[in-house]
Amino acid sequence: MEPIKQRYSHQRETILTVVQGTLVHPTADWVYKATRKIIPNISLGTVYRNLNQLVESGRLLKLKDEAMVRYDGNTGQHDHFRCSVCGKWYDIELLDEAIFKSFAEKHDFRIEAINLELEGTCKNCLDSWLHVNIEHKKRGCLRTWGGLFYFCH
């Protein structure tokens, strides 16, 4: 898809700079709050309209996060990992394209695009969970039932 040409807009360029300047994969509301620090009188509707135009022109990516939409300023080939505990998104690089080539050959497919989204628990959440569980286990109040852990208090 060829990018749509647009005339210059200070508001749109500021919004693009805000999204490209963060690694958090922001929501429109986050972008609105950050952009208001630069352009205090910008409206939420203007932010939404410009985010949609930036996505349509290929300058931003739109990510679906359950009921929420997030934006990504990194439009190069990459994939995502989403932490199911804290909700943070991480950019990841595809580790081995040979897997997809092998899949395509095996099933006689032609892969034209790869959009991989992994979901799990990030290191920060794992470390926090492990720390809490160790403390509870020391006090003898970590139990298991049916393969699940729970606290007795």
Side-chain angles (χ1 to χ4, degrees):
M1 180 171 79
E2 191 169 316
I4 299 169
K5 296 200 182 225
Q6 299 171 329
R7 64 186 174 98
Y8 176 81
S9 160
H10 172 67
Q11 292 174 327
R12 185 170 39 250
E13 292 305 313
T14 302
I15 291 166
L16 178 62
T17 300
V18 165
V19 176
Q20 289 178 332
T22 184
L23 297 175
V24 300
H25 300 87
T27 62
D29 190 53
W30 188 100
V31 174
Y32 170 66
K33 288 174 184 172
T35 305
R36 279 189 54 137
K37 292 175 184 172
I38 303 163
I39 306 173
N41 63 343
I42 196 165
S43 71
L44 182 58
T46 298
V47 170
Y48 270 106
R49 186 172 52 260
N50 281 284
L51 285 169
N52 287 330
Q53 289 173 355
L54 288 164
V55 169
E56 288 173 11
S57 69
R59 296 173 75 191
L60 289 180
L61 298 177
K62 184 186 264 190
L63 308 171
K64 303 267 196 253
D65 182 7
E66 296 172 10
M68 197 177 306
V69 172
R70 294 180 176 273
Y71 297 90
D72 190 348
N74 178 359
T75 58
Q77 175 59 46
H78 69 286
D79 301 294
H80 295 98
F81 174 86
R82 185 175 68 87
C83 179
S84 57
V85 176
C86 67
K88 186 173 179 183
W89 287 68
Y90 296 85
D91 287 343
I92 59 172
E93 297 298 322
L94 186 61
L95 300 176
D96 188 0
E97 288 188 33
I99 294 169
F100 298 102
K101 289 179 183 175
S102 171
F103 173 82
E105 289 172 4
K106 180 179 178 181
H107 297 284
D108 201 23
F109 292 155
R110 184 181 81 209
I111 297 176
E112 296 167 356
I114 300 170
N115 298 303
L116 183 64
E117 181 184 311
L118 303 173
E119 184 175 333
T121 307
C122 71
K123 181 177 180 356
N124 289 337
C125 290
L126 281 173
D127 289 347
S128 296
W129 187 85
L130 184 60
H131 175 73
V132 168
N133 285 329
I134 288 170
E135 291 303 312
H136 280 272
K137 191 168 186 173
K138 283 180 186 174
R139 289 186 242 144
C141 52
L142 179 67
R143 305 278 189 260
T144 61
W145 180 75
L148 301 174
F149 290 96
Y150 68 95
F151 305 117
C152 45
H153 298 95

